[in-house]
């Protein structure tokens, strides 16, 4: 087990103790881990010194964990029976181990949150350059276990007796039995991350950067229902006319039996569904629309507006390309910001000019900025992970 996995495993044991469902063997195992890993308390201190925690956690980070364990052992040895010791331990864990769980999560998330890196720029004259994003996500299982997806050592990794298969770029759920209860798993891609999921029915889902879906390991007997909580996803739905596939998102639901489509849910209260293959029905509280390939539907308030669309818009990001056709610079830069995990600093108001073209998402940020400079009246500065937008005095005027 790697170090991140070890931390997550013992954080899970802490959670079980808090819930009162841990065995005495697990408690002994947890104590042994704490004794052998004094750096656990050091993580709290290091994070607080680096200003990575809120002010209240900074104070809690000063807890002397080793002393807490020693005090507990001393009290337990003189005043409590073995059963009483377990109860006392759970009480102590309720007060301070929950902080450790949160801290572990913060610490590990900060290790995997950014899938891009700052590198020197020797080509375009920027202060630095930024590498593109790559495959990576966080899987939270229904039982609370957390798995980092995209690690290089995961090829062929299995969970739950061969029911979940993880590789470097995808995770596959293989339990096709019907379930009576909806037990939700979640996959979240950070900025600069993308990942593919294969559900129990064979449906494939590609998640764009900064996106999250919720889905069960096993579907019910009557339907296959999942949720796109945020971001963007492309779906290739396995055909099953007897069991419709339903995607819920921001008050709307997409109903299909077997087809391919894209849902963009980045903007608040605006959802765009674009169909590339088959047929879908988009159903809202007060409106309904049917789509055929090459059509998209966008909600306008509670109404639905159907429009002609280019299927390349849906396929490009999945296949590793930016798609600029018909988009304004703010829309383009929104995609760039998510993929390279950079913040945007506008030092000039942007017009609503639309552009044509595209670019490989495997390019560094500097290459994209040079291209946007050549095609627009704006210039760009890369300062750390901040992308500054300014007037392009010598560039093409629109």
């Amino acid at each position: 087990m790697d170090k991140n996995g070890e931390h997550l495993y013992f954080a899970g044991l802490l959670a079980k103790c808090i819930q009162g469902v841990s065995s005495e063997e697990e408690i002994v195992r947890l104590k042994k881990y704490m004794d052998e890993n004094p750096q656990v308390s050091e993580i709290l201190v290091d994070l607080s010194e680096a200003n990575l925690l809120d002010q209240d956690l900074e104070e809690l980070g000063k807890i002397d964990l080793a002393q807490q364990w020693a005090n507990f052992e001393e009290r337990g040895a003189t005043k409590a029976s073995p059963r009483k010791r377990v109860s006392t331990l759970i009480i102590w864990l309720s007060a301070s181990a929950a902080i450790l769980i949160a801290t572990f999560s913060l610490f590990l998330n900060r290790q995997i949150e950014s899938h891009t890196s700052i590198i020197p720029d020797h080509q375009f004259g920027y202060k630095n350059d930024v590498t593109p994003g790559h495959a990576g996500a966080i899987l939270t299982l229904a039982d609370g276990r957390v798995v980092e997806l995209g690690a290089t050592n995961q090829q062929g990794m299995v969970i739950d007796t061969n029911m979940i298969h993880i590789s470097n770029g995808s995770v596959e759920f293989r339990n096709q039995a019907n379930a009576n209860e909806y037990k939700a798993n979640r996959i979240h891609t950070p900025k600069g991350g993308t990942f593919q999921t294969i559900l129990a029915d064979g449906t494939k889902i590609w998640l764009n950067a900064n996106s999250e879906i919720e889905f069960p390991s096993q579907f019910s007997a009557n339907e296959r229902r999942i949720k796109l909580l945020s971001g963007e996803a492309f779906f290739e739905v396995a055909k099953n006319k007897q069991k419709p596939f339903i995607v819920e998102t921001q008050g709307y639901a997409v109903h299909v039996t077997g087809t391919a489509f894209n849902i963009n849910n980045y903007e608040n209260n605006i959802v765009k569904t674009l169909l590339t293959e088959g047929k879908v029905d988009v159903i809202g509280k007060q409106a309904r629309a049917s789509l055929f390939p090459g059509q998209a539907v966008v909600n306008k308030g509670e109404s639905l507006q159907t429009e002609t669309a280019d299927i390349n818009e849906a396929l490009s990001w999945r296949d590793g390309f930016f798609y600029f056709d018909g988009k304004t610079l703010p829309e383009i830069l929104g995609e760039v910001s998510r993929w390279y995990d950079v913040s945007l600093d506008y030092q000039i108001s942007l017009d609503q000019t639309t552009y044509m073209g595209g670019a490989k998402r495997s390019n560094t940020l500097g290459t994209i900025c040079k291209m946007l400079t050549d095609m627009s009246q704006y210039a760009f500065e890369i300062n750390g992970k901040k992308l500054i937008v300014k007037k392009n005095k010598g560039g093409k005027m629109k």
Side-chain angles (χ1 to χ4, degrees):
M1 182 182 297
D2 62 21
K3 185 57 67 175
N4 283 353
E6 185 181 41
H7 287 333
L8 289 171
Y9 171 77
F10 283 98
L13 288 189
L14 288 171
K16 289 184 68 175
C17 288
I18 292 172
Q19 295 168 350
V21 296
S22 58
S23 66
E24 293 188 19
E25 178 183 352
E26 287 175 327
I27 292 175
V28 171
R29 191 180 305 153
L30 176 61
K31 181 192 178 302
K32 183 174 184 293
Y33 168 76
M34 297 285 284
D35 289 341
E36 294 174 351
N37 291 273
Q39 71 272 23
V40 167
S41 57
E42 295 173 5
I43 289 175
L44 290 167
V45 177
D46 290 344
L47 288 174
S48 63
E49 289 178 352
N51 296 318
L52 296 178
L53 297 177
D54 294 332
Q55 199 67 34
D56 52 347
L57 281 181
E58 289 183 5
E59 293 302 317
L60 294 170
K62 299 175 183 177
I63 294 174
D64 187 340
L65 296 175
Q67 187 60 49
Q68 290 287 344
W69 276 103
N71 293 343
F72 162 73
E73 286 189 304
E74 182 178 351
R75 291 195 303 270
T78 57
K79 300 179 181 180
S81 66
R83 175 60 62 183
K84 183 66 175 178
R85 290 186 65 184
V86 173
S87 300
T88 307
L89 177 59
I90 292 173
I91 293 173
W92 176 79
L93 287 169
S94 299
S96 58
I99 301 165
L100 269 179
I101 294 173
T103 305
F104 278 140
S105 299
L106 282 169
F107 176 75
L108 294 172
N109 283 342
R110 291 187 183 276
Q111 299 301 307
I112 60 180
E113 184 176 29
S114 180
H115 282 62
T116 63
S117 303
I118 297 173
I119 59 174
D121 172 37
H122 301 297
Q123 187 174 4
F124 302 111
Y126 298 112
K127 291 185 177 179
N128 58 261
D129 204 349
V130 179
T131 61
H134 56 83
I138 296 297
L139 167 64
T140 303
L141 295 169
D143 60 9
R145 285 176 293 169
V146 179
V147 182
E148 179 186 353
L149 301 174
T152 56
N153 62 349
Q154 289 180 329
Q155 190 68 40
M157 178 180 175
V158 297
I159 300 176
D160 292 345
T161 318
N162 212 32
M163 289 300 177
I164 304 174
H165 280 237
I166 300 174
S167 63
N168 292 343
S170 67
V171 56
E172 180 178 0
F173 292 78
R174 296 185 175 180
N175 192 347
Q176 298 185 33
N178 293 328
N180 296 323
E181 183 181 358
Y182 182 92
K183 295 183 178 180
N185 307 295
R186 290 193 178 192
I187 293 181
H188 169 73
T189 54
K191 290 183 177 180
T194 184
F195 214 76
Q196 181 186 5
T197 304
I198 303 175
L199 303 184
D201 66 332
T203 292
K204 297 179 181 179
I205 305 174
W206 286 260
L207 280 180
N208 206 348
N210 198 25
S211 302
E212 185 171 15
I213 57 171
E214 178 185 289
F215 59 95
S217 297
Q218 304 163 256
F219 290 111
S220 71
N222 301 320
E223 65 180 19
R224 298 170 288 169
R225 185 179 293 269
I226 74 166
K227 298 177 182 179
L228 176 60
L229 301 175
S230 61
E232 184 171 22
F234 185 90
F235 300 82
E236 283 186 0
V237 178
K239 294 186 182 344
N240 187 337
K241 293 183 178 180
Q242 285 69 46
K243 189 184 290 190
F245 192 93
I246 301 169
V247 183
E248 297 180 4
T249 178
Q250 280 202 50
Y252 296 85
V254 180
H255 290 241
V256 303
T257 55
T259 189
F261 59 97
N262 189 81
I263 301 180
N264 186 315
N265 187 26
Y266 280 122
E267 294 188 55
N268 290 332
N269 302 317
I270 297 179
V271 181
K272 182 175 183 179
T273 303
L274 197 164
L275 184 64
T276 64
E277 178 185 327
K279 181 178 178 293
V280 302
D281 292 320
V282 181
I283 302 173
K285 295 179 181 178
Q286 300 183 13
R288 178 175 184 146
S290 295
L291 290 182
F292 295 92
Q295 290 184 319
V297 63
V298 182
N299 67 295
K300 301 292 184 182
E302 292 189 351
S303 66
L304 296 173
Q305 178 177 310
T306 302
E307 58 189 38
T308 301
D310 184 351
I311 64 173
N312 287 320
E313 179 181 350
L315 297 173
S316 291
W317 74 262
R318 186 199 71 173
D319 295 337
F321 293 88
F322 288 111
Y323 177 91
F324 296 156
D325 286 11
K327 294 182 179 179
T328 63
L329 190 58
E331 291 173 327
I332 293 171
L333 291 177
E335 296 181 36
V336 169
S337 171
R338 286 188 293 269
W339 184 237
Y340 294 94
D341 189 13
V342 293
S343 61
L344 296 171
D345 181 1
Y346 294 103
Q347 297 189 354
I348 185 173
S349 297
L350 304 186
D351 61 30
Q352 295 301 302
T353 299
T354 58
Y355 298 87
M356 300 289 290
K360 291 182 179 180
R361 300 213 312 179
S362 58
N363 287 318
T364 66
L365 178 58
T367 303
I368 301 299
C369 289
K370 178 61 168 62
M371 183 186 68
L372 292 176
T373 298
D374 291 341
M375 62 191 286
S376 75
Q377 59 177 311
Y378 304 101
F380 304 89
E381 178 182 329
I382 307 172
N383 189 352
K385 280 204 168 183
K386 178 185 289 187
L387 180 58
I388 302 169
V389 187
K390 305 184 292 184
K391 182 74 172 180
N392 180 12
K393 297 181 180 179
K396 180 180 178 180
M397 298 297 293
K398 290 282 183 182

